[in-house]
Amino acid sequence: MLRSTTLRRFRTPTLVTSAALLLTASLVPATGAASATSSTRNCTEYTLPVSLAEGGPADYFIRGDLCLPASGTPETVQVLVHGGTYNRTYWDFPYQPQLYSYAQFANRAGYATFNVDQIGTGRSSRPHSSLINFSVLAHGLHDVITALRAGGVGGTAFDKVIYVGHSLGTATGWKLAGTYNNDDDAIISTGAINGLSATGAGSFVAFPANQDPKFASLNLDDGHLTNIADRGVFYWPATSDSTVIQVDTDNRDTFPAPLLLELGAAFSSPLATAPTQNITVPVLSVIGDQDALFCADANDCSDKAALKQKEGSFHSNAPSFDLAVIPQTGHDLNTHYTAPYSFITMINWAKQHVAP
């Protein structure tokens, strides 16, 4: 079944922000606070040993935050996976989290979340860049999901898993689905559709992270990349806050160069061999209609019906496929004024398919 969701357009950032605050408040229980604070959830960081390949030694580790609602014991955990040049702060944004933290929205909705740093980023292991590819990232997350289901993270064995990815994290989820027979019970793909824009991708400039003072102490090889000045490619100016972009820049991270070629192939594969054809669980895809990386060249994100039909054909083995197009929003859906609309769309869809 194919369905698409569109949201009405807004004239000014002020109106968007005011509406977003109202929507945020509507998600908070009547007895709760007006924003998600430590009193509305319980978070603990865990370090999980992982291997880089099936049967290999668990010589590396992935770190992540397991956050639980303040009350109740969820049966479902959402595994949150960030994109390139990001880390887990993307899903739990430190600035104005009542607007920009999806993790807190999901916790208030009754879900557990496990928000990870992918291999090579954040507080997780950083092997030599030549050792990291999509197979490695997918295997690491397979180890994580296996541990979550077995009670190896915090002592709770989660019965259901929803994979939530952004951009490179979405592509990692596609690889995971094809390699491990859908570890997940549902997938929410954000900031990525089939058909990468050569124009948009060409405007993103990266350089070795060891040239960035922020990462100087990590002694990274030249294949670990980052970027600073051009993060604006991820944003639509009319609905973004300069302070948010600065916080985003301050929290920038690295990604391994070997993934660049694999990303191009993952996002631009022919219909018959696209990695999304391996997905056999329900899928929600969320994209901003001003996403410079995808809403150009092969994709017209202003034509919702055509985009729904096209993306649905790339998910022909999924039992259901839904598409949400968020207006006046760029690549980083979580850090625009419109973020709560994305979050509510995602949570409502999740509750319809895999309850907390």
Side-chain angles (χ1 to χ4, degrees):
M1 183 191 310
L2 303 181
R3 294 189 293 275
S4 64
T5 302
T6 58
L7 302 173
R8 67 184 181 88
R9 295 185 176 273
F10 299 96
R11 296 180 183 276
T12 67
T14 301
L15 288 176
V16 172
T17 305
S18 299
L21 285 169
L22 290 173
L23 281 172
T24 302
S26 73
L27 283 180
V28 180
T31 58
S35 63
T37 65
S38 59
S39 64
T40 62
R41 62 180 189 157
N42 301 305
C43 296
T44 305
E45 182 184 65
Y46 289 92
T47 301
L48 303 182
V50 299
S51 59
L52 300 187
E54 195 69 34
D59 293 340
Y60 300 89
F61 59 86
I62 286 179
R63 284 198 172 117
D65 295 320
L66 178 66
C67 293
L68 304 172
S71 61
T73 304
E75 296 181 356
T76 302
V77 60
Q78 296 195 17
V79 177
L80 311 182
V81 186
H82 60 84
T85 75
Y86 284 87
N87 51 43
R88 66 182 117 152
T89 59
Y90 177 78
W91 290 108
D92 203 0
F93 203 66
Y95 176 72
Q96 294 189 349
Q98 72 275 15
L99 287 179
Y100 301 116
S101 172
Y102 174 75
Q104 294 193 15
F105 271 67
N107 296 148
R108 289 203 305 275
Y111 287 98
T113 56
F114 192 61
N115 184 18
V116 303
D117 288 331
Q118 292 216 63
I119 287 285
T121 64
R123 288 169 50 78
S124 293
S125 291
R126 293 181 188 264
H128 194 279
S129 63
S130 63
L131 298 177
I132 306 174
N133 55 35
F134 271 123
S135 294
V136 167
L137 296 184
H139 187 266
L141 290 170
H142 170 68
D143 283 351
V144 166
I145 291 170
T146 300
L148 286 165
R149 288 190 183 275
V153 185
T156 299
F158 293 99
D159 184 54
K160 302 289 185 181
V161 176
I162 300 175
Y163 184 98
V164 185
H166 177 254
S167 195
L168 182 148
T170 288
T172 306
W174 296 349
K175 182 68 173 180
L176 181 73
T179 307
Y180 297 101
N181 194 28
N182 293 284
D183 267 357
D184 318 299
D185 298 281
I187 295 174
I188 300 178
S189 302
T190 75
I193 53 179
N194 288 277
L196 184 67
S197 165
T199 303
S203 66
F204 177 79
V205 179
F207 59 92
N210 54 27
Q211 298 177 17
D212 184 340
K214 177 176 180 179
F215 306 108
S217 64
L218 298 179
N219 297 315
L220 299 174
D221 64 89
D222 289 347
H224 286 277
L225 307 178
T226 192
N227 81 314
I228 302 176
D230 60 345
R231 295 184 82 79
V233 71
F234 298 146
Y235 289 88
W236 180 243
T239 55
S240 48
D241 180 342
S242 60
T243 302
V244 168
I245 297 175
Q246 186 58 56
V247 173
D248 171 3
T249 302
D250 292 343
N251 283 281
R252 65 192 178 278
D253 216 298
T254 66
F255 71 100
L259 289 179
L260 288 176
L261 291 178
E262 286 194 286
L263 268 177
F267 292 139
S268 302
S269 296
L271 177 64
T273 59
T276 47
Q277 300 289 20
N278 295 317
I279 298 173
T280 58
V281 297
V283 176
L284 169 67
S285 180
V286 186
I287 193 80
D289 72 348
Q290 301 298 328
D291 188 328
L293 298 183
F294 291 94
C295 293
D297 303 336
N299 295 310
D300 179 4
C301 293
S302 66
D303 188 340
K304 314 304 190 300
L307 188 63
K308 175 192 72 173
Q309 188 64 36
K310 177 189 173 186
E311 276 301 290
S313 70
F314 277 86
H315 292 79
S316 61
N317 293 308
S320 67
F321 174 78
D322 297 286
L323 173 71
V325 180
I326 310 299
Q328 296 190 33
T329 303
H331 183 63
D332 284 0
L333 293 116
N334 288 22
T335 44
H336 283 71
Y337 292 125
T338 53
Y341 291 93
S342 299
F343 298 165
I344 290 170
T345 299
M346 294 160 67
I347 289 168
N348 285 344
W349 181 90
K351 285 192 170 183
Q352 291 171 15
H353 291 83
V354 186

